[in-house]
Amino acid sequence: MKRAIMLLCLLAALAALAGAAPVKKVVPPSLGIVTASGSGFSSLSLPLQIAITLTLLTLLPAVVMTITPFLRIVVVLHFLRQALGTQSTPSNQLLVGLSLFLAILVFQPVVGEIYRQAWEPMEKGQISAGQALEEGSKPLKTFLARYAREKDVRLFVEISKSPAPRTPADLPVQILIPAYILSELKTAFQIGAVLFLPFLVIDIVVASVTLSIGMVQLPPVMLSAPFKILIFVLVDGWNLVVGSLIKSFY
């Protein structure tokens, strides 16, 4: 009898504790996505922001090499090195570094305009991310349309079967980017061909002289290379080439 009374008292105490304990609501994990209610926009948590940022950083080199003046500059500088016949001097790292800083110098006004029109208003909460993307693409489209040839633009409009735009501002970015790349490649090859001509003349003259005096065993390139480098230094070739490249964007 005493054991039964004690068991009933213990059950009553457990029931009282269970009724007094607050019930915790189980919240499922959010996978890093947090939606802000009442503020009119959705924000991402820090882990997802880091993942998206790292993904965009992997695409950054391709963006820099294709939609900036880097493309034209680096191709022309490689043509110049081949014309001089110096093989690996200057090195690839040096040419890429010089091309990168020259591209930053030319592209800086476009980046500044994108920052003022898109990033600053979005940071202040005046526009949404979609509006910022649309506003930021306008300076970029203006830059790309300035150097994209009409023939290349028409090619990609026909390939994509898009309606013919009435103005250059109506062209989408997915058409302007490949058209700009083709146009820049053609321009770079034209400049490279012009750079090759004077050095080709030197090679022909040296080869003719060596053959006429019977120096068949000596490669003409070994004799023409010092003359090409000497003439290039005397006319201040780096200043002329870099100056002409920068002026071609203005």
Side-chain angles (χ1 to χ4, degrees):
M1 189 66 179
K2 292 182 179 179
R3 291 181 180 178
I5 294 173
M6 291 176 63
L7 183 61
L8 290 175
C9 293
L10 182 60
L11 291 175
L14 291 175
L17 290 174
V23 180
K24 295 183 179 180
K25 185 179 179 181
V26 179
V27 181
S30 61
L31 297 178
I33 301 176
V34 180
T35 303
S37 58
S39 58
F41 63 93
S42 296
S43 60
L44 302 177
S45 66
L46 184 60
L48 194 55
Q49 289 180 12
I50 294 174
I52 294 175
T53 303
L54 292 176
T55 304
L56 294 177
L57 285 176
T58 59
L59 300 176
L60 184 61
V63 172
V64 172
M65 288 188 294
T66 53
I67 65 173
T68 65
F70 179 88
L71 174 60
R72 181 191 303 186
I73 297 171
V74 74
V75 173
V76 170
L77 292 181
H78 275 280
F79 268 114
L80 176 62
R81 187 177 66 179
Q82 293 295 324
L84 285 171
T86 54
Q87 302 300 324
S88 59
T89 305
S91 62
N92 289 331
Q93 292 84 352
L94 183 57
L95 292 183
V96 170
L98 177 60
S99 303
L100 180 61
F101 284 107
L102 293 178
I104 292 174
L105 178 64
V106 176
F107 203 66
Q108 184 178 359
V110 181
V111 175
E113 195 172 353
I114 293 174
Y115 179 80
R116 288 190 298 270
Q117 293 185 10
W119 183 262
E120 279 188 347
M122 184 186 68
E123 199 175 26
K124 295 177 181 178
Q126 299 174 355
I127 59 176
S128 63
Q131 293 173 336
L133 185 62
E134 183 179 355
E135 291 294 327
S137 64
K138 291 179 181 178
L140 179 62
K141 289 168 64 175
T142 302
F143 176 82
L144 297 177
R146 186 187 306 168
Y147 300 104
R149 296 187 306 159
E150 184 179 352
K151 183 178 180 181
D152 296 327
V153 173
R154 190 184 304 114
L155 171 65
F156 288 103
V157 168
E158 294 174 357
I159 291 175
S160 62
K161 297 180 181 179
S162 302
R166 283 182 275 183
T167 61
D170 298 333
L171 287 169
V173 178
Q174 60 267 25
I175 290 178
L176 280 174
I177 289 178
Y180 171 80
I181 293 173
L182 286 187
S183 302
E184 287 295 284
L185 283 175
K186 180 179 180 180
T187 304
F189 272 69
Q190 289 174 341
I191 298 174
V194 173
L195 286 175
F196 252 104
L197 290 178
F199 299 108
L200 180 61
V201 172
I202 296 175
D203 286 333
I204 293 174
V205 171
V206 172
S208 301
V209 172
T210 54
L211 289 176
S212 63
I213 62 178
M215 299 176 61
V216 182
Q217 301 297 328
L218 183 63
V221 178
M222 293 185 62
L223 293 177
S224 62
F227 287 104
K228 290 190 290 186
I229 296 173
L230 180 62
I231 293 175
F232 186 74
V233 171
L234 289 177
V235 299
D236 199 5
W238 287 111
N239 184 279
L240 292 175
V241 172
V242 172
S244 300
L245 277 174
I246 298 300
K247 291 176 183 177
S248 65
F249 290 99
Y250 294 99

